[in-house]
């Protein structure tokens, strides 16, 4: 059984027991979270696709940890103008473990 959920502007295909990295949710570790924007659910009866979301379908998860990703370098410049800027960025994330899929 799997489901396709939407969170943080992205879509994820999840099954029970999966651990995924999503955009920062603002929750502490060991807190429970429920995703109600379920786009599709697949089970023994087949695939149910929502328009845009499947009604009464939720995915329950537990927050494992919060953190920041690898640093990326952002370098912008304007040629022949001696103008350059170098910045770094680390994207915040939340790691969640999928506990149950309720169709």
């Amino acid at each position: 059984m799997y489901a396709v959920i939407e969170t943080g502007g992205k879509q994820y295909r999840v099954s029970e027991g999966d651990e995924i990295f999503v955009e920062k949710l603002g929750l502490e570790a060991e807190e429970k979270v429920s995703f109600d924007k379920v786009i599709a659910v697949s089970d023994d009866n087949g695939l149910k696709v929502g328009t845009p979301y499947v009604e009464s379908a939720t995915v329950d998860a537990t927050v494992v940890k919060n953190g920041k990703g690898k640093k990326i370098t952002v370098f912008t410049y304007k040629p022949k103008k001696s103008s350059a800027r170098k910045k770094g960025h680390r994207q915040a994330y939340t790691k969640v473990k999928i506990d149950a899929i309720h169709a």
Side-chain angles (χ1 to χ4, degrees), residues 5 18 20 25 27 30-35 59-64 96-100:
I5 62 171
D18 286 353
I20 59 171
L25 295 175
L27 300 173
E30 302 302 322
E31 285 190 44
K32 302 285 184 187
V33 63
S34 179
F35 299 106
V59 175
D60 295 333
T62 305
V63 175
V64 177
V96 296
K97 181 175 186 196
I98 305 300
D99 296 328

Side-chain angles (χ1 to χ4, degrees), residues 1-3 14-16 38 40-42 57-60 98-103:
M1 177 178 224
Y2 71 88
V14 296
S15 299
E16 291 183 15
V38 179
V41 176
S42 175
T58 59
V59 175
D60 295 333
I98 305 300
D99 296 328
I101 298 172
H102 305 287

Side-chain angles (χ1 to χ4, degrees), residues 5 8-9 12 14 16 19 25 37 46 48-49 64 66-68 72 90 92-93 96-97 102:
I5 62 171
Y12 302 92
V14 296
E16 291 183 15
E19 290 187 353
L25 295 175
K37 292 185 176 180
K48 288 185 234 171
V49 179
V64 177
N66 293 305
K68 289 185 176 180
I72 62 166
R90 294 180 69 190
Y93 68 83
V96 296
K97 181 175 186 196
H102 305 287

